[in-house]
């Protein structure tokens, strides 16, 4: 078994144990808008969505105090 096969098996195992997928459907035009915004900030779409979620949760938690 080569290193790339071991790495693939490790990645699959890690994902099953540590990650949870969240399906998100958006209109194609909305996706293009999100993608353009993320790229303008040097982010991937995934990174932008994660940051947006974190910032919204932080704001929501701060407003509850």
């Amino acid at each position: 078994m080569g290193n790339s096969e071991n790495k693939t098996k490790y990645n699959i195992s890690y994902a099953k144990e540590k990650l949870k997928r969240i399906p998100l459907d958006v209109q194609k035009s909305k996706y293009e808008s999100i993608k353009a915004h993320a790229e303008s900030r040097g982010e991937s779409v995934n990174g932008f969505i994660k940051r947006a979620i974190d910032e919204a949760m932080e704001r929501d938690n701060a407003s509850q105090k």
Side-chain angles (χ1 to χ4, degrees), residues 2-65:
N3 282 342
S4 65
E5 289 177 40
N6 288 337
K7 176 81 170 129
T8 299
K9 284 186 177 186
Y10 172 80
N11 288 344
I12 291 169
S13 174
Y14 178 88
K16 284 182 179 179
E17 185 178 326
K18 305 279 184 175
L19 302 176
K20 177 65 179 164
R21 294 200 51 83
I22 302 173
L24 174 66
D25 296 329
V26 296
Q27 297 281 334
K28 287 182 180 182
S29 60
K30 181 70 171 182
Y31 175 80
E32 292 304 322
S33 177
I34 293 167
K35 182 178 177 187
H37 180 80
E39 287 176 351
S40 75
R41 300 186 51 87
E43 295 179 292
S44 65
V45 171
N46 191 43
F48 169 69
I49 291 171
K50 288 177 180 179
R51 182 174 61 81
I53 290 169
D54 289 343
E55 289 178 4
M57 289 174 61
E58 189 175 306
R59 276 193 316 271
D60 291 349
N61 290 334
S63 69
Q64 292 177 353
K65 293 180 180 178

